């Protein structure tokens, strides 16, 4: 590593290392919730060991340069409740002697399980699914964590947990002074963060508090035993070391039954830890401007907790504040984490010296600040950023965590989020478009006579295009909406109901039952239900749910909307205007009359038409060729083929008897944009540019009439297209 990068790394490592010691000690105290200060050195030692391991592992395995990982308050606070229950059960069953080793074993086991879960999630590349956890649920968990961290900080300052029974003990002079000192720390941080980055303010004020407390003890010659007796320092028994927390000889005293009774809480702690990793990774992304590989970070966190838990440590992960501090100090490299790890190892060796430097008001004040920050962010600031229902979910989770604990909080949160999702998603409009056969036709046949006939009778075809996921929250509303539209349908009664599932991602059994009820309206006196564009899974669900097709059923399934429309149009035209879909040839004069709307003009044009006949597979018009003629198809069918470099040759439409092809390119004087290929024997009448010139010379009035007729036809098509665009854009 270059010297110019090494020197800033060493400086940042020294600063972050000292702050990591302070924060780890404070978070370690959270484990006890103020219940047993005799175990405080054990808890602090476990936290320092975890930070020593995690800082080194993160420095070597993280995707974020300069990252610093430490034991963290959120999972530790979540473990505090189960640990308190374990302590009570152990005392009842095996006495006080078994408490330390049982607590260490329980926390180490939880840390290892967190490590295994995190590593597996990262290894299976499931990190992206963590982002699917509803935002209000995350907010509620963090608000509940903030409350527990806040109470832990109060307990650290007071020297015991604060309950209704012992609240009067907070009134003695020494306790009030400690709270005043802790409050001063919180107030100073709160004031300075209004002008300076909070990630720099907290470390700076913490360092200043340590320096100030050290100077006070030196100036007034106050010894450590007196400070410990008055609760200003953590009590440490003579000769007690911070590490190891227990010795192998004590393992036989572990109360595994007490631990087993609290295993139900572990899934909550695991989920909370993984979510907190996501939140911290997102915070680091936003502050540093670098993308974080969440799967790699989860694997890194997994290794950190596996190794930390194997040594009897506590759960932890990346620290946003220390990582950002190292980045702003220009030390985005692994040296920072390694030096911070070394500092924590030194703190374990010289434990009493470290504890004599960090007063309890600073540890408690730091926790109170973290807790208040989380409470403010999620119970106050989120109110203006979220909808009222999302905010109420956060508030509900917070109240349940405060009243009943994290396990019930996470269960309540997931249920509340699911209910909120159903309500909100149920409001989404799943009907993308509703049209009739008059507004929208298939690409099967572009004959003007066919289009005109469909404009007359197309209201008998109702087209409903769906979107999204169809489930019980929307299924019945969809059925009733379609029924009401059919009942209120103006003009011709609906004979064909076409439902397009092309944009439907899936459906549940409630939706299948709704369509089964809709199918009861089909029949000779009702309508034919045509289901189009269903995926294989949707089609399977429909059939499995009892929707029957074929035979005497009036339900039909088509591959896509175009085929469903074509089938319905042919059936409808066969009932109303059968001559439109007949395969018998039509005369040139009849074709011209349909176009120019004048028999006299048609007779004037007839001598200028040339008969063309081609067989199946022959090309009537070739893409890219000069556009010097128009064709009127009198018999047969042809496909309009588009040749594309990326897609190859694609059939975009078909034309049949009565259709006109080539007119757009003819008037634009541009090469043909597509080919027209016969799908059988085709008879067409050709009107060329040379024929038009002869017509203009012989009968200028007829030429003008032809141009007017073609302009009217093209304008009519454009009007229909504009109406369709407006309809689809609605």
């Amino acid at each position: 590593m270059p010297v110019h990068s090494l020197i800033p790394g060493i400086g940042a490592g020294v600063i972050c290392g000292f702050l990591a010691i302070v924060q780890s000690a404070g978070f370690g105290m959270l484990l006890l919730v103020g219940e047993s200060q005799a175990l405080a050195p054990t808890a602090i030692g476990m936290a320092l060991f975890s930070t020593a391991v995690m800082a080194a592992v993160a420095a070597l395995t993280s995707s974020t340069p300069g990252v610093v990982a430490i034991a963290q308050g959120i999972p530790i606070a979540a473990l505090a409740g189960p640990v308190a229950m374990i302590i009570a059960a152990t005392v009842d069953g095996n006495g006080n002697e078994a408490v330390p080793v049982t607590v260490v074993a329980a926390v180490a086991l939880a840390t290892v399980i967190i490590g295994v879960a995190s590593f597996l999630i990262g290894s299976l590349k499931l990190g992206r699914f963590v982002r699917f956890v509803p935002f209000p649920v995350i907010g509620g968990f963090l608000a509940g964590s903030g409350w527990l961290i806040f109470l832990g900080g109060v307990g650290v300052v007071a020297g015991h947990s604060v309950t209704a029974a012992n609240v009067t003990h907070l009134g003695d002079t020494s306790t009030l002074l400690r709270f005043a000192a802790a409050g001063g720390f919180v107030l100073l941080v709160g004031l300075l963060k209004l002008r300076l980055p909070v990630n720099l303010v907290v470390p700076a004020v913490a360092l200043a508090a340590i320096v100030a407390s050290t100077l006070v003890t030196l100036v007034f010659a106050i010894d450590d035993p007196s400070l410990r007796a008055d609760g200003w320092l953590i009590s440490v028994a003579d000769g007690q070391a911070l590490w190891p927390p227990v010795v192998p000889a004590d393992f036989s005293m572990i109360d595994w039954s007490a631990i087993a009774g609290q295993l139900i809480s572990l899934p909550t702690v695991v989920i909370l830890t993984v979510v907190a990793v996501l939140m911290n990774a997102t915070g680091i992304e936003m502050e540093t401007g670098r993308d974080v590989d969440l799967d790699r970070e989860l694997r890194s966190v997994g290794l950190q907790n596996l190794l930390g838990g194997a040594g009897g440590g506590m759960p932890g992960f990346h620290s946003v504040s220390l990582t950002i501090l190292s980045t702003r100090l220009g030390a985005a490299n692994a040296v920072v984490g390694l030096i911070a790890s070394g500092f924590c190892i030194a703190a374990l060796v010289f434990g009493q010296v470290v504890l004599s430097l960090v007063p309890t008001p600073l540890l408690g004040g730091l926790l109170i600040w973290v807790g208040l920050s989380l409470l403010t962010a999620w119970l106050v600031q989120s109110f203006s950023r979220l909808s009222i229902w999302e905010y109420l979910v956060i508030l509900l989770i917070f109240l349940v965590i405060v009243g009943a604990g994290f396990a019930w909080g996470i269960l309540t949160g997931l249920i509340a989020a699911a209910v909120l999702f159903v309500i909100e998603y149920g409001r989404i409009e799943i009907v993308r478009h509703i049209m009739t056969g008059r507004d929208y036709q298939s690409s099967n046949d572009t004959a003007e006579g066919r289009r005109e006939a469909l404009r007359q009778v197309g209201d008998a075809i109702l087209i409903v295009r769906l979107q999204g996921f169809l489930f019980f929250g929307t299924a019945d509303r969809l059925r009733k909406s379609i029924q009401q539209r059919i009942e209120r349908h103006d003009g011709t009664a609906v004979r064909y109901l076409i439902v397009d599932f092309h944009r439907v991602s899936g459906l549940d059994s409630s939706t299948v039952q709704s369509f089964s009820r809709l199918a009861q309206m089909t029949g000779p006196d009702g309508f034919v239900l045509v289901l189009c564009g269903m995926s294989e899974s949707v089609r399977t669900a429909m059939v499995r749910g009892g929707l029957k097709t074929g035979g005497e059923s009036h339900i039909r399934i088509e591959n896509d909307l175009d085929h469903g429309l074509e089938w319905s149009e042919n059936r409808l035209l066969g009932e109303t205007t059968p001559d439109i879909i007949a395969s018998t040839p039509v005369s040139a004069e009849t074709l011209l009359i349909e176009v120019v709307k004048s028999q006299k003009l048609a007779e004037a044009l007839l001598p200028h038409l040339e008969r063309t006949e081609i067989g199946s597979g022959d090309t009537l018009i070739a893409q890219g060729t000069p556009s010097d003629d128009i064709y009127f198809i009198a018999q047969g069918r042809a496909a309009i083929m588009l040749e594309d470099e990326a897609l190859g040759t694609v059939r975009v439409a078909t034309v049949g008897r009565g259709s006109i092809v080539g007119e757009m390119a003819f008037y634009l004087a541009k090469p043909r944009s597509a080919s027209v290929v016969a799908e059988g024997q085709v008879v067409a009448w050709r009107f060329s540019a040379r024929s038009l010139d002869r017509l203009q010379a012989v009968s200028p009035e007829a030429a003008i009439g032809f141009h007017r007729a073609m302009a009217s036809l093209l304008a009519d098509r454009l009007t229909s297209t504009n109406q369709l665009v407006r309809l689809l854009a609605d």
Side-chain angles (χ1 to χ4, degrees), residues 680-691:
Q681 194 74 14
V682 170
V683 176
W685 292 92
R686 177 175 178 263
F687 185 71
S688 65
R690 185 174 299 178
S691 299

Side-chain angles (χ1 to χ4, degrees), residues 513-547:
Q513 294 305 311
S514 292
F515 273 94
S516 295
R517 292 184 62 185
L518 190 64
Q520 295 174 0
M521 300 174 63
T522 64
D525 299 326
F527 55 81
V528 177
L529 177 60
V530 184
L531 306 178
C532 310
M534 292 190 293
S535 64
E536 188 60 35
S537 61
V538 171
R539 180 180 298 198
T540 301
M542 285 287 195
V543 174
R544 187 172 58 241
L547 213 60

